[in-house]
Amino acid sequence: MKNIAVLASGRGTNLQAIIENIENGTLKANLACVISDNKDAKALERARQHNIEAVYIDPGPKKTWLIPEVEQKYVQALKDRNVDLVCLAGFMRIIKTPLLEAFKGRILNIHPALLPSFPGLDVQRKALEYGVKFSGCTVHFVTADVDAGPIVTQAAVRVLDDDTPEILAERILKEEWRIYTEAINIVLSGKYRIEGRRVIRT
Ligand code: GRF
């Protein structure tokens, strides 16, 4: 069984889905630890409730990324636990070289829009205001360019006329919980190859 780690900064509903899918056998992985840059993250509490190691690593001085010395602590924590695949789930930091190099091609992220549309933050509101009729979610490999790595899988959801950003976010989340597990299973199985930007199942 391969080891995964989840990095999360907040409420952790994707983490919760991962935990439950491991427990019910849908997700074939061992969750080695949950790491957060926020000591009050609900995600850490969810981990503890399921007897999963919950690790807080002080993010240091910067708001949107970690200085190399700090990011190295994240790398060390992941290496110490023999993590094969790092899953970002609402981790509010831009990933830089130490982690990208140590886990090259082994970091996934979930994003609540159909990339390459609406990268960044507050994307359900942006999708709604833009007037798209479909939005959705994307699981992609993490590269140095934010929200731009090769796409493992996506799911589309309809945008309805009376949606608010919150209602749309809720509809997208239900798909996130499903496709993150699907994507992790694909990547852990190793049955894919990357051609250019394309992730092709083998
Ligand atoms: C999700 O919408 C995810 O796509 C985005 O951050 C949010 C995290 O939600 N990257 P949760 O903490 O998993 O509930």
Side-chain angles (χ1 to χ4, degrees), residues 8-16 43 46 88-92 109-113 120-121 123-124 136-138 147 169 172-173 176-177 180:
S9 302
R11 69 190 165 174
T13 66
N14 275 288
L15 166 68
Q16 186 70 38
R46 290 181 196 267
L88 309 183
F91 187 63
M92 303 304 284
N109 181 44
I110 184 145
H111 182 76
L121 296 175
V123 298
Q124 297 91 344
C137 45
T138 304
D147 295 335
I172 292 171
L173 255 189
E176 293 186 33
W177 301 336
Y180 214 172

Short mmCIF file of all heavy atoms in Angstrom, two decimals, residues 8-16 43 46 88-92 109-113 120-121 123-124 136-138 147 169 172-173 176-177 180, ligand 1:
data_model
loop_
_atom_site.label_atom_id
_atom_site.label_comp_id
_atom_site.label_asym_id
_atom_site.label_seq_id
_atom_site.Cartn_x
_atom_site.Cartn_y
_atom_site.Cartn_z
N ALA A 8 -3.43 20.55 4.20
CA ALA A 8 -4.68 21.32 4.21
C ALA A 8 -4.55 22.48 5.18
O ALA A 8 -3.90 22.36 6.22
CB ALA A 8 -5.84 20.42 4.62
N SER A 9 -5.20 23.60 4.83
CA SER A 9 -5.14 24.78 5.70
C SER A 9 -6.44 25.04 6.45
O SER A 9 -6.47 25.85 7.37
CB SER A 9 -4.83 26.03 4.88
OG SER A 9 -3.63 25.89 4.18
N GLY A 10 -7.52 24.41 6.02
CA GLY A 10 -8.82 24.84 6.56
C GLY A 10 -9.73 23.72 6.98
O GLY A 10 -9.33 22.81 7.71
N ARG A 11 -10.97 23.78 6.46
CA ARG A 11 -12.03 22.92 7.03
C ARG A 11 -11.85 21.44 6.69
O ARG A 11 -12.31 20.57 7.42
CB ARG A 11 -13.39 23.42 6.57
CG ARG A 11 -13.60 23.21 5.12
CD ARG A 11 -14.80 23.86 4.53
NE ARG A 11 -14.52 23.79 3.10
CZ ARG A 11 -15.32 24.13 2.15
NH1 ARG A 11 -16.49 24.63 2.43
NH2 ARG A 11 -14.97 24.00 0.90
N GLY A 12 -11.22 21.12 5.56
CA GLY A 12 -10.86 19.72 5.31
C GLY A 12 -11.98 18.78 4.89
O GLY A 12 -11.94 17.60 5.24
N THR A 13 -12.92 19.25 4.09
CA THR A 13 -13.95 18.29 3.64
C THR A 13 -13.38 17.33 2.59
O THR A 13 -13.81 16.18 2.52
CB THR A 13 -15.22 18.98 3.09
OG1 THR A 13 -14.92 19.69 1.89
CG2 THR A 13 -15.85 19.91 4.11
N ASN A 14 -12.44 17.79 1.78
CA ASN A 14 -11.79 16.85 0.86
C ASN A 14 -10.98 15.81 1.63
O ASN A 14 -10.97 14.64 1.27
CB ASN A 14 -10.90 17.61 -0.15
CG ASN A 14 -11.69 18.11 -1.33
OD1 ASN A 14 -12.11 17.34 -2.19
ND2 ASN A 14 -11.92 19.42 -1.37
N LEU A 15 -10.32 16.27 2.68
CA LEU A 15 -9.61 15.33 3.55
C LEU A 15 -10.59 14.29 4.11
O LEU A 15 -10.31 13.09 4.10
CB LEU A 15 -8.94 16.08 4.71
CG LEU A 15 -8.45 15.17 5.84
CD1 LEU A 15 -7.30 14.30 5.38
CD2 LEU A 15 -8.08 16.00 7.06
N GLN A 16 -11.73 14.78 4.58
CA GLN A 16 -12.74 13.89 5.15
C GLN A 16 -13.15 12.82 4.14
O GLN A 16 -13.27 11.63 4.47
CB GLN A 16 -13.97 14.71 5.57
CG GLN A 16 -15.03 13.92 6.32
CD GLN A 16 -14.57 13.52 7.70
OE1 GLN A 16 -13.89 14.29 8.39
NE2 GLN A 16 -14.94 12.32 8.13
N ALA A 43 -9.13 20.55 9.58
CA ALA A 43 -8.55 19.36 8.95
C ALA A 43 -7.71 18.56 9.97
O ALA A 43 -7.76 17.33 9.98
CB ALA A 43 -7.70 19.76 7.74
N ARG A 46 -10.02 16.68 12.19
CA ARG A 46 -10.60 15.52 11.50
C ARG A 46 -9.62 14.36 11.49
O ARG A 46 -10.00 13.20 11.68
CB ARG A 46 -10.96 15.88 10.06
CG ARG A 46 -12.11 16.85 9.90
CD ARG A 46 -12.37 17.08 8.42
NE ARG A 46 -13.18 18.24 8.14
CZ ARG A 46 -14.52 18.22 7.99
NH1 ARG A 46 -15.18 17.09 8.14
NH2 ARG A 46 -15.17 19.33 7.69
N LEU A 88 -2.60 18.03 -2.05
CA LEU A 88 -3.00 19.33 -1.52
C LEU A 88 -4.52 19.40 -1.56
O LEU A 88 -5.13 19.10 -2.58
CB LEU A 88 -2.41 20.47 -2.36
CG LEU A 88 -0.90 20.43 -2.66
CD1 LEU A 88 -0.50 21.68 -3.45
CD2 LEU A 88 -0.10 20.33 -1.38
N ALA A 89 -5.10 19.80 -0.43
CA ALA A 89 -6.56 19.88 -0.38
C ALA A 89 -6.92 21.13 0.41
O ALA A 89 -7.04 21.09 1.64
CB ALA A 89 -7.15 18.62 0.28
N GLY A 90 -6.98 22.23 -0.30
CA GLY A 90 -7.24 23.49 0.39
C GLY A 90 -6.01 23.96 1.15
O GLY A 90 -6.14 24.56 2.22
N PHE A 91 -4.82 23.68 0.61
CA PHE A 91 -3.57 24.16 1.23
C PHE A 91 -3.26 25.51 0.59
O PHE A 91 -3.00 25.60 -0.60
CB PHE A 91 -2.44 23.17 0.99
CG PHE A 91 -1.17 23.50 1.73
CD1 PHE A 91 -1.15 23.53 3.11
CD2 PHE A 91 0.00 23.78 1.03
CE1 PHE A 91 0.02 23.84 3.80
CE2 PHE A 91 1.18 24.09 1.72
CZ PHE A 91 1.19 24.11 3.10
N MET A 92 -3.33 26.57 1.42
CA MET A 92 -3.35 27.93 0.87
C MET A 92 -1.95 28.53 0.69
O MET A 92 -1.70 29.68 1.06
CB MET A 92 -4.21 28.83 1.78
CG MET A 92 -5.63 28.34 1.96
SD MET A 92 -6.49 28.11 0.39
CE MET A 92 -6.83 29.81 0.00
N ASN A 109 -3.14 18.51 -6.73
CA ASN A 109 -3.98 19.55 -6.14
C ASN A 109 -5.39 19.42 -6.69
O ASN A 109 -5.58 18.94 -7.81
CB ASN A 109 -3.43 20.94 -6.49
CG ASN A 109 -4.25 22.05 -5.86
OD1 ASN A 109 -4.62 21.98 -4.68
ND2 ASN A 109 -4.57 23.08 -6.63
N ILE A 110 -6.35 19.86 -5.88
CA ILE A 110 -7.72 19.93 -6.39
C ILE A 110 -8.15 21.38 -6.43
O ILE A 110 -7.90 22.14 -5.49
CB ILE A 110 -8.70 19.06 -5.56
CG1 ILE A 110 -10.09 19.10 -6.21
CG2 ILE A 110 -8.76 19.47 -4.09
CD1 ILE A 110 -10.86 17.83 -6.10
N HIS A 111 -8.78 21.74 -7.56
CA HIS A 111 -9.15 23.13 -7.79
C HIS A 111 -10.64 23.19 -8.15
O HIS A 111 -11.09 22.41 -8.99
CB HIS A 111 -8.31 23.70 -8.93
CG HIS A 111 -8.60 25.14 -9.20
ND1 HIS A 111 -8.14 26.15 -8.38
CD2 HIS A 111 -9.34 25.75 -10.16
CE1 HIS A 111 -8.57 27.31 -8.84
NE2 HIS A 111 -9.31 27.10 -9.91
N PRO A 112 -11.39 24.14 -7.56
CA PRO A 112 -12.84 24.14 -7.76
C PRO A 112 -13.31 24.90 -9.01
O PRO A 112 -14.24 25.71 -8.93
CB PRO A 112 -13.37 24.79 -6.47
CG PRO A 112 -12.28 25.72 -6.08
CD PRO A 112 -10.98 25.10 -6.52
N ALA A 113 -12.69 24.62 -10.14
CA ALA A 113 -13.14 25.15 -11.42
C ALA A 113 -12.57 24.25 -12.51
O ALA A 113 -11.71 23.41 -12.25
CB ALA A 113 -12.65 26.59 -11.63
N GLY A 120 -6.68 30.38 -9.48
CA GLY A 120 -6.59 31.34 -8.37
C GLY A 120 -7.68 31.13 -7.33
O GLY A 120 -8.11 30.01 -7.08
N LEU A 121 -8.09 32.25 -6.73
CA LEU A 121 -8.99 32.18 -5.58
C LEU A 121 -10.39 32.71 -5.92
O LEU A 121 -10.56 33.40 -6.92
CB LEU A 121 -8.41 33.01 -4.42
CG LEU A 121 -7.08 32.51 -3.85
CD1 LEU A 121 -6.55 33.49 -2.81
CD2 LEU A 121 -7.21 31.12 -3.25
N VAL A 123 -13.05 31.37 -7.01
CA VAL A 123 -13.33 31.04 -8.41
C VAL A 123 -14.80 30.71 -8.69
O VAL A 123 -15.25 30.87 -9.82
CB VAL A 123 -12.40 29.92 -8.92
CG1 VAL A 123 -10.97 30.38 -8.86
CG2 VAL A 123 -12.60 28.64 -8.13
N GLN A 124 -15.53 30.29 -7.66
CA GLN A 124 -16.95 30.03 -7.90
C GLN A 124 -17.67 31.34 -8.19
O GLN A 124 -18.53 31.40 -9.08
CB GLN A 124 -17.58 29.33 -6.68
CG GLN A 124 -16.98 27.95 -6.38
CD GLN A 124 -15.82 28.01 -5.41
OE1 GLN A 124 -15.24 29.08 -5.17
NE2 GLN A 124 -15.46 26.87 -4.85
N GLY A 136 -16.97 23.38 -12.50
CA GLY A 136 -16.64 22.03 -12.05
C GLY A 136 -15.38 22.02 -11.23
O GLY A 136 -15.08 22.99 -10.53
N CYS A 137 -14.65 20.93 -11.32
CA CYS A 137 -13.42 20.82 -10.54
C CYS A 137 -12.38 20.03 -11.31
O CYS A 137 -12.70 19.28 -12.24
CB CYS A 137 -13.70 20.18 -9.19
SG CYS A 137 -14.75 18.74 -9.25
N THR A 138 -11.14 20.24 -10.91
CA THR A 138 -9.98 19.68 -11.62
C THR A 138 -8.99 19.13 -10.61
O THR A 138 -8.67 19.81 -9.64
CB THR A 138 -9.28 20.82 -12.41
OG1 THR A 138 -10.22 21.45 -13.28
CG2 THR A 138 -8.09 20.30 -13.19
N ASP A 147 -1.83 26.34 -10.49
CA ASP A 147 -3.06 25.79 -11.10
C ASP A 147 -2.88 25.47 -12.59
O ASP A 147 -3.83 25.62 -13.38
CB ASP A 147 -4.23 26.78 -10.93
CG ASP A 147 -4.62 26.96 -9.47
OD1 ASP A 147 -4.36 26.05 -8.66
OD2 ASP A 147 -5.17 28.02 -9.12
N ALA A 169 -20.52 26.45 -5.05
CA ALA A 169 -19.36 25.81 -4.41
C ALA A 169 -19.76 24.46 -3.81
O ALA A 169 -19.01 23.48 -3.91
CB ALA A 169 -18.80 26.73 -3.33
N ILE A 172 -20.15 21.88 -6.52
CA ILE A 172 -18.82 21.49 -7.03
C ILE A 172 -18.11 20.57 -6.03
O ILE A 172 -17.50 19.57 -6.40
CB ILE A 172 -17.96 22.74 -7.35
CG1 ILE A 172 -18.55 23.50 -8.53
CG2 ILE A 172 -16.51 22.35 -7.64
CD1 ILE A 172 -17.91 24.86 -8.80
N LEU A 173 -18.23 20.92 -4.75
CA LEU A 173 -17.55 20.14 -3.69
C LEU A 173 -17.92 18.66 -3.74
O LEU A 173 -17.06 17.79 -3.58
CB LEU A 173 -17.94 20.68 -2.32
CG LEU A 173 -16.95 21.53 -1.54
CD1 LEU A 173 -17.48 21.76 -0.14
CD2 LEU A 173 -15.55 20.93 -1.48
N GLU A 176 -15.86 17.18 -6.13
CA GLU A 176 -14.46 17.15 -5.68
C GLU A 176 -14.20 15.90 -4.84
O GLU A 176 -13.19 15.21 -5.04
CB GLU A 176 -14.14 18.39 -4.82
CG GLU A 176 -14.16 19.70 -5.58
CD GLU A 176 -13.70 20.87 -4.72
OE1 GLU A 176 -12.83 20.70 -3.84
OE2 GLU A 176 -14.22 21.98 -4.92
N TRP A 177 -15.12 15.65 -3.92
CA TRP A 177 -14.92 14.52 -3.00
C TRP A 177 -14.80 13.21 -3.79
O TRP A 177 -14.04 12.33 -3.43
CB TRP A 177 -16.10 14.43 -2.01
CG TRP A 177 -16.27 15.65 -1.17
CD1 TRP A 177 -15.32 16.57 -0.87
CD2 TRP A 177 -17.47 16.12 -0.56
NE1 TRP A 177 -15.86 17.58 -0.09
CE2 TRP A 177 -17.18 17.32 0.12
CE3 TRP A 177 -18.78 15.64 -0.50
CZ2 TRP A 177 -18.12 18.05 0.83
CZ3 TRP A 177 -19.74 16.35 0.21
CH2 TRP A 177 -19.41 17.56 0.87
N TYR A 180 -11.35 13.38 -6.43
CA TYR A 180 -10.00 13.36 -5.85
C TYR A 180 -9.56 11.91 -5.59
O TYR A 180 -8.43 11.52 -5.90
CB TYR A 180 -9.91 14.21 -4.57
CG TYR A 180 -8.56 14.90 -4.39
CD1 TYR A 180 -8.35 15.84 -3.39
CD2 TYR A 180 -7.49 14.61 -5.23
CE1 TYR A 180 -7.12 16.47 -3.24
CE2 TYR A 180 -6.25 15.23 -5.09
CZ TYR A 180 -6.08 16.16 -4.08
OH TYR A 180 -4.85 16.78 -3.95
C1 GRF B 1 -11.85 23.13 -2.16
O1 GRF B 1 -12.85 23.82 -2.85
C2 GRF B 1 -10.67 22.87 -3.05
O2 GRF B 1 -11.02 22.65 -4.38
C3 GRF B 1 -9.88 24.14 -2.92
O3 GRF B 1 -10.01 24.51 -1.57
C4 GRF B 1 -11.23 24.00 -1.06
C5 GRF B 1 -10.89 23.19 0.15
O4 GRF B 1 -12.04 22.75 0.80
N1 GRF B 1 -8.52 23.95 -3.34
P1 GRF B 1 -11.93 21.70 1.97
O5 GRF B 1 -10.97 22.29 3.00
O6 GRF B 1 -11.42 20.42 1.40
O7 GRF B 1 -13.31 21.57 2.53
#
